Every structure is written in C-alpha cells, then in structure tokens.
C-alpha cells in the first residue's frame, strides 16, 4: 500500500508546489511526488504529462472535491 496525498501547498500564483503525504510530517516537493506517482507509490494521485502542457500532479477522480489539490491548498 502506497502513501496518499493529504494536503497541498500553492505559490502566490496558485500553482501547486508541494504535497503532504500520509505518514510524513513535512511537505514533499511536487517534482518528487510526481516521480513517486509514476512509480505507483502514491495511491490517490497520478502525474499528467500531456504534449504542449506543463506536467502536473492530479488526484484520482472520485465523487469528492475536497481532495482536489487546489482545494487542499486553499485555492477555491
């Protein structure tokens, strides 16, 4: 069983910069979390690498909005 994203931080522009993973006391940089997601080490998130777009981390789809990274970071 992998870790889960439980919180997120955003910069002044609203871009997600770090996430807090279950079992960790601090935040993990976004780039590290994306590598972990690519390796299947994060259960509730995946990285998105679309052509022509900036790579980003996204929580897996479900019926909740409270676990979206923007909501966790307070960008409502």
């Amino acid at each position: 069983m992998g870790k889960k994203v439980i919180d997120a931080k955003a910069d002044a522009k609203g871009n997600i910069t770090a996430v807090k993973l279950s079992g960790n006391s601090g935040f993990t940089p976004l780039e590290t979390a994306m590598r972990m997601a690519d390796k299947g080490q994060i259960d509730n998130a995946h990285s998105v690498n679309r052509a022509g777009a900036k790579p980003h981390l996204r929580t897996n789809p479900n019926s909740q909005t409270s676990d979206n990274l923007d909501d966790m970071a307070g960008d409502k």
Side-chain angles (χ1 to χ4, degrees):
M1 182 141 128
K3 294 187 176 273
K4 292 185 182 218
V5 175
I6 58 171
D7 199 2
K9 274 187 184 179
D11 63 15
K13 295 180 182 179
N15 297 314
I16 302 299
T17 57
V19 295
K20 185 181 259 188
L21 301 173
S22 56
N24 291 8
S25 59
F27 282 82
T28 300
L30 184 61
E31 296 78 16
T32 301
M34 289 177 64
R35 285 194 303 272
M36 292 174 69
D38 287 340
K39 294 177 184 176
Q41 296 172 333
I42 300 177
D43 291 339
N44 67 337
H46 59 280
S47 62
V48 177
N49 299 290
R50 294 184 310 183
K54 181 180 173 185
H56 60 280
L57 189 69
R58 180 177 288 164
T59 53
N60 295 335
N62 60 24
S63 61
Q64 299 178 14
T65 58
S66 62
D67 63 356
N68 293 338
L69 296 178
D70 285 339
D71 288 328
M72 288 183 194
D75 184 22
K76 301 193 186 278

